Amino acid sequence: MKQHIRIGCGAGFSGDRLEPALILVKQGQLDYLVLECLAERTIALAQKRKRQDPTLGYDPLLERRIESLLPHLVEKKVRLITNMGAANPLAAAQKVIDIARRLNLSVTVAAVTGDDVFSLLSENETALETGKPLMDSGTLVSANAYLGTDAILPALATGADIIITGRVADPSLFVSPLVHEFGWSLEDSNQIGQGTVIGHLLECAGQLTGGYFADPGRKDVPDMAHLGHPFADVSSDGTAVFGKVAGTGGMLTVATAKEQLLYEVMDPSRYITPDVVADFSQVRLEETGLDQVKAIGGRGETRPDTLKVSVGYEAGFIGEGEISYAGANALGRAKLAGSIIQERLQDRFTDLRLDYIGSTSVHRTNFGHYPDPYEIRLRVAGRATTAQHAALVGEEVEALYTNGPAGGGGARKYIHEVVGIVSTLMDRNKITSSITVLES
Amino acid sequence: MRIKLYDIAHSRAGDKGNTLTLSLIPYSADDYPLLCDRVTADAVSRHLQYIVAGEITRYELPNLPALQFVCQQALTGGVTTSLTMDTHGKSLSYALLEMWVDTEVNG
């Protein structure tokens, strides 16, 4: 058993930057690299891609990430754990093998499957968000259970260099190598709770090292153009010291760590994952050096008997249109434009929204204490069941050029398909995960 | 004296479905009691009345120290189907920091 390992997190979402992971592998002296690339909705969209082409459905950036990383992972003997398998971990594993052969590298890849529970799901199950049967939300397109550490451990036990999963709980990507290397018991809830704190702090990558934090003059962060992603030095007792590669941008302080510890956390004493009900409330953070923070004190209680299942459903199409006004009475002219659109579209859309970008578009209010801006952009959005119907929104906004208020410019229109997500719980005993190993 | 939360604290927004989470972290631990006293769940509900439709629960984390607000029905349907610009509500930390509080202990 090892006494100490270093785990880096080189991506915190599907579209994350590519080079921080490369820097971590080349210079970070890692034992493990984790790439967390799967958001709630990403997997439902991936399921749709898989349905159109059975060889797809994994992360769209997988090829680019693996091509750049693979030679260095092999050279430095760093194991990779990633959920880039999305809706199709087997196809993703095959793609990695193809890349390895092309690069003349010898690697073993283990794919973790079993999260796709669409065939096990009843449409009559209750959606947690609505309290109504799942089928009331719309035509269901996907159902993926959040697998945990117990599903990833057998893949690590095969000795594979690369572990590719679909939907697993984000912290489990980090807890699994800790359990594997230190021989922790999955029944030791306090140990797994501390492991979950470590995973939770790392899982959004740059959000621990100064990303999503900076506010110039108030919370200054150096060299954000080259933000370094974090790693954790974990001891077998669970003590973790977080750091980043010297010379990279960003910063790691108690303040950045506090913001990330509470990010997306509901009850901090009951953070539920497939592995544990973790308690973050007794966590202690301490700066132990420049860009170095120690975290101890995570605890936990026995894991839940159910797993959360993310269910995707067809939610129609959203059409959008935008147009700008500037100078004297910009807001007045934008609001006139808005009222014209409202009058023309209100009978054709049950769900229509008007926003004034530059004033109240993201907070829905300006709390009454900010002056009118010099320029303003009207943005209209409406939902429809067909793309053709949704397109009306952009068409009407564009027509304001010649039929609307004075000085309207820069009209743009967009349409996109929407997959909605609701959740339900499933008895974990109904869900079976399995491992497939491929070699290059 | 009235001050804005922005002057004494920082915040990060997170989302789970239609639920918004907002941390509130004082720059100085000395201001934590003031935050506990002034920034109650009710006060935040009034401040965010145009943003949060549902209930707000406050959790106290004296060890950090920090407060955590969990706001139900705050994201107009949630990340995937909302028609709003900021479907995740990632910008809403700065809506909380717009709140004014009285610093007089018995004020």
Side-chain angles (χ1 to χ4, degrees):
Chain A
M1 288 292 157
K2 288 188 179 169
Q3 293 304 308
H4 170 268
I5 60 168
R6 179 175 281 188
I7 306 175
C9 183
F13 80 109
S14 174
D16 211 337
R17 290 179 184 165
L18 299 185
E19 79 276 8
L22 198 55
I23 291 168
L24 275 170
V25 174
K26 285 162 89 169
Q27 301 172 48
Q29 296 171 303
L30 302 183
D31 297 298
Y32 287 86
L33 174 72
V34 173
L35 301 174
E36 195 291 286
C37 298
L38 201 50
E40 218 177 13
R41 181 170 60 160
T42 322
I43 198 155
L45 299 171
Q47 290 285 12
K48 296 196 80 166
R49 284 199 302 277
K50 181 184 177 184
R51 206 170 292 176
Q52 284 160 4
D53 180 344
T55 67
L56 295 180
Y58 52 82
D59 187 280
L61 284 180
L62 175 132
E63 206 164 345
R64 283 168 67 192
R65 289 193 196 277
I66 295 292
E67 263 177 4
S68 69
L69 286 170
L70 202 53
H72 304 284
L73 290 168
V74 170
E75 186 202 331
K76 303 281 187 187
K77 297 187 172 57
V78 177
R79 294 180 88 179
L80 170 67
I81 304 174
T82 179
N83 54 14
M84 279 197 289
N88 203 346
L90 288 173
Q94 187 56 53
K95 176 55 78 174
V96 174
I97 293 294
D98 294 348
I99 294 167
R101 284 179 184 152
R102 199 184 330 135
L103 298 175
N104 217 2
L105 296 167
S106 168
V107 297
T108 312
V109 183
V112 179
T113 51
D115 62 302
D116 186 340
V117 293
F118 196 64
S119 62
L120 301 175
L121 190 78
S122 159
E123 291 192 330
N124 297 312
E125 292 290 334
T126 305
L128 297 175
E129 291 82 358
T130 61
K132 294 176 185 158
L134 291 170
M135 59 188 181
D136 287 10
S137 294
T139 304
L140 305 187
V141 296
S142 68
N144 291 82
Y146 282 79
L147 301 181
T149 292
D150 53 349
I152 304 171
L153 284 175
L156 287 165
T158 66
D161 307 296
I162 295 174
I163 318 293
I164 297 191
T165 74
R167 178 87 280 164
V168 300
D170 295 347
S172 305
L173 295 167
F174 302 86
V175 172
S176 52
L178 297 175
V179 170
H180 175 73
E181 295 288 356
F182 298 145
W184 290 351
S185 163
L186 290 177
E187 313 294 316
D188 186 344
S189 299
N190 283 333
Q191 198 70 273
I192 303 299
Q194 168 67 7
T196 300
V197 167
I198 295 166
H200 179 73
L201 283 168
L202 287 172
E203 73 182 50
C204 295
Q207 285 194 187
L208 184 63
T209 46
Y212 197 36
F213 180 85
D215 186 347
R218 171 90 34 170
K219 294 192 290 177
D220 288 304
V221 177
D223 194 17
M224 297 184 71
H226 306 96
L227 197 81
H229 284 187
F231 56 72
D233 286 319
V234 188
S235 307
S236 58
D237 69 352
T239 302
V241 179
F242 296 84
K244 65 185 189 69
V245 173
T248 58
M251 67 183 195
L252 211 170
T253 64
V254 160
T256 66
K258 281 182 189 174
E259 284 199 14
Q260 189 54 26
L261 182 69
L262 296 176
Y263 177 67
E264 289 184 341
V265 171
M266 315 274 269
D267 180 345
S269 65
R270 291 187 60 77
Y271 184 81
I272 303 170
T273 81
D275 303 331
V276 70
V277 179
D279 178 2
F280 292 0
S281 68
Q282 305 303 314
V283 170
R284 290 181 186 272
L285 301 166
E286 181 194 343
E287 264 168 50
T288 50
L290 177 68
D291 292 322
Q292 200 176 75
V293 171
K294 183 166 123 178
I296 53 168
R299 305 194 302 200
E301 289 175 24
T302 308
R303 68 184 196 181
D305 294 330
T306 52
L307 296 182
K308 183 171 150 182
V309 178
S310 258
V311 181
Y313 65 92
E314 309 258 6
F317 295 82
I318 290 179
E320 290 173 274
E322 297 177 1
I323 189 166
S324 284
Y325 299 87
N329 203 20
L331 185 58
R333 283 178 286 130
K335 287 195 166 163
L336 172 59
S339 70
I340 294 166
I341 296 291
Q342 181 92 39
E343 191 175 338
R344 290 182 62 83
L345 289 182
Q346 63 187 359
D347 296 336
R348 300 160 89 170
F349 287 86
T350 49
D351 210 0
L352 189 71
R353 181 174 184 89
L354 283 81
D355 285 311
Y356 298 90
I357 299 174
S359 175
T360 55
S361 66
V362 288
H363 286 181
R364 281 100 83 181
T365 174
N366 66 5
F367 297 98
H369 47 241
Y370 286 93
D372 286 348
Y374 179 77
E375 61 176 55
I376 199 96
R377 187 162 177 82
L378 168 68
R379 180 247 181 195
V380 185
R383 195 198 338 271
T385 50
T386 65
Q388 195 181 9
H389 190 176
L392 280 174
V393 176
E395 289 165 9
E396 281 294 334
V397 171
E398 189 178 43
L400 289 169
Y401 269 145
T402 55
N403 301 282
R412 297 280 187 279
K413 50 186 182 181
Y414 316 92
I415 306 167
H416 65 269
E417 194 176 355
V418 186
V419 173
I421 295 286
V422 285
S423 317
T424 189
L425 298 175
M426 190 178 276
D427 180 348
R428 67 190 304 150
N429 295 320
K430 283 172 72 177
I431 301 165
T432 314
S433 62
S434 53
I435 307 297
T436 308
V437 179
L438 303 177
E439 285 178 49
S440 66
Chain B
M1 192 177 76
R2 281 175 84 227
I3 54 166
K4 239 185 203 183
L5 289 183
Y6 180 72
D7 294 322
I8 57 169
H10 56 111
S11 171
R12 176 169 293 188
D15 64 284
K16 285 276 179 206
N18 199 14
T19 303
L20 167 73
T21 68
L22 295 169
S23 57
L24 186 65
I25 306 165
Y27 286 104
S28 161
D30 296 344
D31 287 325
Y32 181 65
L34 177 76
L35 295 182
C36 287
D37 189 56
R38 298 290 185 232
V39 193
T40 60
D42 283 348
V44 173
S45 283
R46 282 194 297 277
H47 175 66
L48 298 179
Q49 59 183 303
Y50 298 110
I51 297 172
V52 179
E55 192 186 347
I56 296 182
T57 308
R58 185 180 87 167
Y59 296 95
E60 295 175 18
L61 296 135
N63 281 346
L64 290 177
L67 295 173
Q68 177 82 338
F69 296 90
V70 178
C71 314
Q72 309 291 339
Q73 298 169 56
L75 299 173
T76 63
V79 176
T80 53
T81 55
S82 166
L83 291 180
T84 56
M85 298 268 299
D86 176 13
T87 51
H88 296 83
K90 284 186 181 288
S91 70
L92 292 172
S93 47
Y94 280 80
L96 176 62
L97 296 178
E98 280 296 314
M99 185 173 160
W100 292 89
V101 292
D102 202 326
T103 59
E104 303 294 324
V105 175
N106 296 311

